[in-house]
Amino acid sequence: MHPAALVQGHEQTWSWLVLGLTAAVVLAFAVLFLAALISILGSRLTGGMKLVWVIFAFCAPFLGSLLWFAVGRRDAYLPARR
C-alpha cells in the first residue's frame, strides 16, 4: 500500500471520529435543553417565573439549562416558606 494512501485513510478515520463526537455533543446538548424546558414547564413555579426561566434557557441555552438543574429546579420544588 502506498504511504499516501495510509495517510489519507488515517485522515478519513479522524474526520469520521470528529464528526461522530460532534454529533454526540450536539445531541447531548439538545437533550439537556429539552429536558430543562420540560422540567421548567412541569415545575410548581408561577407562570411568571416559568417564563423567566424559559426565556433564560432560550437566550443562553447551555448555561440556562445547567443553571436550571443546578439552582432553579431545587428552588422550584422546595416547600413554600411561611
Side-chain angles (χ1 to χ4, degrees):
M1 188 174 239
H2 195 271
L6 284 175
V7 170
Q8 185 179 10
H10 287 295
E11 287 176 359
Q12 189 174 20
T13 301
W14 278 108
S15 47
W16 278 109
L17 181 64
V18 169
L19 180 66
L21 287 174
T22 303
V25 168
V26 168
L27 181 63
F29 167 71
V31 168
L32 175 70
F33 180 70
L34 289 174
L37 287 179
I38 291 168
S39 179
I40 291 167
L41 295 174
S43 71
R44 287 191 264 166
L45 293 174
T46 63
M49 282 307 296
K50 284 183 185 182
L51 181 62
V52 168
W53 274 107
V54 168
I55 289 172
F56 186 58
F58 272 101
C59 290
F62 185 71
L63 182 62
S65 299
L66 286 179
L67 284 176
W68 166 252
F69 286 115
V71 179
R73 185 172 182 206
R74 180 181 55 211
D75 290 344
Y77 291 101
L78 285 177
R81 294 182 185 158
R82 294 178 184 185

